[in-house]
Amino acid sequence: MRRLIAAALVIVLALPAWAGARHTVLMDVMRISELSHILHDEGVIYGAALDDSWLEGQGGAAWAQQVARIYDVSRLSEGIRAGIEPALQGDALELAITFFASDLGQRIITLENSARRAMSDLAIEEQARKQYTARQGTEDSRLKQINRMIDAGDLINRNVTSALNSNYQFLRALVDADVYTMSDAEILEDVLAERAAIEADTANWLGAFLTLAYSPLTLEELTLYAEFGETEAGKSLNNGLFAGFDPLYEGISYALGQAMAMNMTAEEL
């Protein structure tokens, strides 16, 4: 079986109009629309990798169009909002808005989005990974603050779990389409066999990304951001983001599996 390359139903809860307006403000100051376009572009790149590894590069324009539709920008944005809204209320919501509306908060969003775009270039990603690896195991003060952020948000474990669940849904779709014959236990075994590799890769990519993104910040600014991540507001925001991303990407992965099954079946005809 080809190796998966690890990278929904959107339920909008009924909330008071005022709360909805404040969540819109948070979405705006965090520039979720901009992030959604970046995630769309990442999805297109991932789709091309799936084409190479599963369809031998023969997916063509039809596959590319299917992938682009699956990574619909509105779907991504609304999926993120669906997680944030119930997770952030009251004071936590207001503190998150205040932080990201500040000059520092806006600089952080700009740096994160720029780094995310940059790391779509494999050469830049490789260089960022090398630089991060060279700093591991040292007494680097900046790396300590980045590790605080990773620990506060349980970012490695949560990203690994998300990747495994997404891989499961991709295979589940192929099984449902009768491309493969596997039990749930066999799908799970196949997915979990790559856990160690995914965990190592996730830890390295995450450290490289954060190191690259925050390199222009002073140590004081980086410390302030790490401290925000340890507050109730910071943790609630992190919880909300994962609550949005997890079902969103599980749905996307299942849709990719369905599209892949259609293309693989067509190849056999």
Side-chain angles (χ1 to χ4, degrees), residues 140-190:
D140 190 302
S141 299
R142 300 177 64 83
L143 194 56
K144 288 181 180 178
Q145 300 308 315
I146 288 172
N147 287 335
R148 283 178 68 186
M149 297 180 200
I150 292 173
D151 292 341
D154 193 20
L155 297 183
I156 295 173
N157 180 60
R158 284 180 141 173
N159 276 288
V160 169
T161 299
S162 180
L164 293 173
N165 287 340
S166 293
N167 286 353
Y168 177 89
Q169 291 300 327
F170 184 85
L171 287 178
R172 176 78 263 167
L174 293 177
V175 171
D176 288 345
D178 294 326
V179 172
Y180 292 129
T181 300
M182 301 172 70
S183 66
D184 283 344
E186 288 172 329
I187 297 174
L188 187 59
E189 180 181 4
D190 194 76

Side-chain angles (χ1 to χ4, degrees), residues 89-104:
Q89 301 290 328
D91 290 343
L93 173 59
E94 295 305 319
L95 287 170
I97 291 173
T98 298
F99 182 85
F100 285 104
S102 69
D103 289 343
L104 175 58

Side-chain angles (χ1 to χ4, degrees), residues 39-226:
L39 296 176
H40 168 84
D41 293 344
E42 287 181 357
V44 170
I45 293 171
Y46 177 57
L50 286 176
D51 184 12
D52 288 340
S53 59
W54 288 75
L55 299 173
E56 299 180 351
Q58 300 303 304
W63 169 254
Q65 290 169 3
Q66 288 172 309
V67 171
R69 285 196 298 269
I70 289 170
Y71 284 94
D72 176 73
V73 171
S74 296
R75 177 188 194 179
L76 291 163
S77 183
E78 289 306 312
I80 295 168
R81 180 168 185 144
I84 288 177
E85 283 196 345
L88 272 156
Q89 301 290 328
D91 290 343
L93 173 59
E94 295 305 319
L95 287 170
I97 291 173
T98 298
F99 182 85
F100 285 104
S102 69
D103 289 343
L104 175 58
Q106 285 299 292
R107 282 190 65 208
I108 287 169
I109 295 296
T110 298
L111 292 171
E112 289 176 346
N113 288 349
S114 295
R116 187 130 194 169
R117 286 195 188 95
M119 284 187 66
S120 65
D121 183 320
L122 292 179
I124 293 177
E125 177 184 340
E126 182 180 358
Q127 185 60 31
R129 285 177 180 265
K130 286 181 178 178
Q131 291 178 354
Y132 170 68
T133 299
R135 298 169 82 167
Q136 286 183 287
T138 69
E139 293 299 314
D140 190 302
S141 299
R142 300 177 64 83
L143 194 56
K144 288 181 180 178
Q145 300 308 315
I146 288 172
N147 287 335
R148 283 178 68 186
M149 297 180 200
I150 292 173
D151 292 341
D154 193 20
L155 297 183
I156 295 173
N157 180 60
R158 284 180 141 173
N159 276 288
V160 169
T161 299
S162 180
L164 293 173
N165 287 340
S166 293
N167 286 353
Y168 177 89
Q169 291 300 327
F170 184 85
L171 287 178
R172 176 78 263 167
L174 293 177
V175 171
D176 288 345
D178 294 326
V179 172
Y180 292 129
T181 300
M182 301 172 70
S183 66
D184 283 344
E186 288 172 329
I187 297 174
L188 187 59
E189 180 181 4
D190 194 76
V191 168
L192 290 178
E194 295 188 23
R195 182 184 181 98
I198 291 173
E199 185 169 355
D201 184 68
T202 298
N204 187 262
W205 186 93
L206 187 60
F209 166 70
L210 297 178
T211 300
L212 174 64
Y214 305 142
S215 58
L217 297 179
T218 66
L219 179 58
E220 180 182 5
E221 289 170 331
L222 190 56
T223 301
L224 287 173
Y225 193 24

Side-chain angles (χ1 to χ4, degrees), residues 226-264:
E227 289 173 350
F228 172 76
E230 293 174 338
T231 64
E232 179 185 351
K235 289 183 177 181
S236 294
L237 176 59
N238 186 65
N239 290 339
L241 288 170
F242 276 101
F245 277 121
D246 287 348
L248 176 63
Y249 272 87
E250 286 176 26
I252 284 173
S253 292
Y254 191 87
L256 285 171
Q258 288 179 312
M260 181 62 70
M262 290 175 58
N263 281 269
M264 292 174 73

